[in-house]
Amino acid sequence: MEKKGGLILREREHLSVEAVECVEEFDEKKIILRTFLGDLEITGNGLSVVALDLENGKVEVDGHINSLKYQDSKGDKARKKGKNVFAKMLKCVHLRR
């Protein structure tokens, strides 16, 4: 079965993301999500993760969203920083319960 991802942005205030593997980093100004398409960086003000369902790969973010940017692929990014992929995986914040 082919993985499908998607983004839905409503009035720059609510973002729904599919195909999320984990939340790597988050604060009020920046959220980084690992997706099967690469890392997605979300920047803005007053950002918060309001729904998190990693089992189904879904995340919802509220706040004033300024930009959405896919970063380099996971392997390329890790090599550029001199880290191996395994170390990067350990950094990932898994919030499953």
Side-chain angles (χ1 to χ4, degrees):
M1 185 163 124
E2 183 180 320
K3 289 184 179 181
K4 293 185 180 183
L7 302 171
I8 299 173
L9 179 61
R10 292 185 182 94
E11 299 185 22
R12 292 182 66 182
E13 298 292 327
H14 184 82
L15 176 67
S16 298
V17 185
E18 295 178 344
V20 175
E21 295 173 357
C22 70
V23 178
E24 288 193 17
E25 178 181 328
F26 66 94
D27 62 33
E28 291 183 347
K29 295 187 182 242
K30 178 169 68 171
I31 298 173
I32 298 178
L33 304 175
R34 182 181 300 164
T35 75
F36 83 95
L37 294 171
D39 289 352
L40 175 62
E41 181 180 295
I42 304 158
T43 60
N45 295 305
L47 300 178
S48 62
V49 176
V50 294
L52 178 64
D53 180 0
L54 293 177
E55 189 170 311
N56 292 306
K58 296 181 181 182
V59 172
E60 294 188 20
V61 174
D62 279 351
H64 184 78
I65 297 166
N66 292 328
S67 71
L68 303 169
K69 178 176 77 170
Y70 278 98
Q71 299 176 347
D72 291 338
S73 69
K74 295 180 274 187
D76 291 343
K77 184 178 171 188
R79 280 189 289 281
K80 286 179 185 177
K81 289 185 174 181
K83 297 180 180 177
N84 65 34
V85 176
F86 183 72
K88 185 157 176 69
M89 287 173 30
L90 291 176
K91 178 182 167 190
C92 185
V93 177
H94 288 279
L95 300 175
R96 288 187 207 199
R97 293 181 192 241

